[in-house]
Amino acid sequence: ALERQLGSRNLDGDLVLSGRFAVSTDNSTLVTLELSRQSGDLRIGENAGSGLMGLRELKFTLNADQGVWRVSQIIDGERVGRAEATANVIASAQDLFPPMSSPLDGKLTARLDNLAAWGSFLPPGWRLGGGLNGEAKFSGTLGAPRGQGVLVLNDLSVKNPLEGVDLIEGRGRIVFVGDQVQLEAISARGGDGRITVDGKGTLSTKPDVQLTLKAENFRLLGRVDRRVVASGTARLSANSDAIKLDG
């Protein structure tokens, strides 16, 4: 499925995975799913962005026993950096799946200094650069999680030469505070100008996003036959019912 998504030219290597799967629902839900790297590596991308990921660890586990669900996933590589996520969910032993009211305890850690290595997961023609680093912890419930932590964007770039997109020098902070995700001074340069984005969104199952965008001579598109430069302020509001843009 991954190869179909990326295209056969973008995915190859000698990666060897091993796994184990077991499930039982006799008296309570019992699930064990493990998938991990045993040897080898994976090459994703072509042209300038291609290269081995330098995998050191790749692992996904899911365990459920007596109502306690534990999920963890780790990817660690010389080029891709390290990202680790864990979550523990408490439910009734008789629940086939945890309800949205189940207590949650989780953690996300990212040390991704080379986002260019992940660029081939984007549609063809798009290139990604920069870094994403930080840590966040999560509590609350599945339906209403609460977070605490910060993810920092550093020298982010998004490019598509064919479409005339060339965003560079991206930076800012993604801050998790309670049931909110706050975007603090997210900014990027396009041409001779910049754009900044501030705002917040909710972590609940009922999304509510409020963003303010400020552009000053910001070049959104720079194609030979199509050029878009923006200046001004806009406010974006989005929830499960509607999306509204003023400005």
Side-chain angles (χ1 to χ4, degrees):
L2 182 60
E3 185 169 350
R4 287 197 301 271
Q5 176 184 346
L6 298 176
S8 59
R9 295 176 302 168
N10 287 42
L11 179 64
D12 62 54
D14 58 355
L15 180 65
V16 177
L17 300 174
S18 66
R20 183 166 69 97
F21 175 69
V23 60
S24 173
T25 58
D26 291 340
N27 298 315
S28 64
T29 301
L30 177 63
V31 178
T32 299
L33 172 61
E34 298 178 358
L35 187 65
S36 61
R37 170 186 176 270
Q38 291 300 296
S39 63
D41 207 344
L42 192 65
R43 177 181 286 105
I44 297 180
E46 55 184 351
N47 300 326
S50 65
L52 292 173
M53 299 175 73
L55 286 176
R56 294 182 286 257
E57 185 176 8
L58 180 64
K59 187 175 184 180
F60 173 82
T61 61
L62 167 63
N63 291 289
D65 188 9
Q66 297 297 317
V68 180
W69 294 71
R70 295 184 175 90
V71 182
S72 67
Q73 47 190 349
I74 301 172
I75 182 168
D76 182 32
E78 182 178 354
R79 291 188 68 235
V80 298
R82 182 179 179 87
E84 183 173 358
T86 61
N88 297 325
V89 178
I90 308 297
S92 169
Q94 284 70 44
D95 287 330
L96 186 59
F97 296 103
M100 300 304 289
S101 59
S102 301
L104 167 69
D105 178 24
K107 183 178 180 180
L108 170 66
T109 304
R111 298 288 182 268
L112 308 176
D113 294 319
N114 181 26
L115 291 179
W118 297 86
S120 290
F121 287 100
L122 298 176
W126 291 89
R127 297 291 181 265
L128 190 64
L132 175 66
N133 293 275
E135 179 179 296
K137 296 181 179 180
F138 298 93
S139 58
T141 66
L142 279 179
R146 299 179 62 85
Q148 180 181 3
V150 180
L151 298 178
V152 179
L153 296 170
N154 180 44
D155 200 24
L156 182 69
S157 65
V158 180
K159 301 184 179 185
N160 187 324
L162 183 62
E163 297 297 332
V165 177
D166 188 13
L167 276 64
I168 61 175
E169 298 177 8
R171 57 179 180 262
R173 289 158 43 100
I174 304 171
V175 183
F176 298 88
V177 182
D179 63 351
Q180 294 185 349
V181 181
Q182 300 177 354
L183 303 184
E184 296 185 351
I186 304 291
S187 69
R189 183 163 72 88
D192 297 325
R194 295 195 69 86
I195 187 171
T196 61
V197 181
D198 291 277
K200 61 184 179 180
T202 61
L203 289 171
S204 70
T205 54
K206 297 181 179 180
D208 184 10
V209 179
Q210 306 289 331
L211 301 178
T212 299
L213 299 86
K214 296 181 180 179
E216 183 177 351
N217 199 31
F218 175 71
R219 188 181 67 193
L220 182 61
L221 294 178
R223 286 174 44 161
V224 175
D225 62 339
R226 188 184 308 160
R227 180 180 174 87
V228 177
V229 178
S231 294
T233 301
R235 292 175 176 82
L236 175 68
S237 301
N239 53 43
S240 56
D241 297 323
I243 299 177
K244 183 180 180 181
L245 180 64
D246 295 321

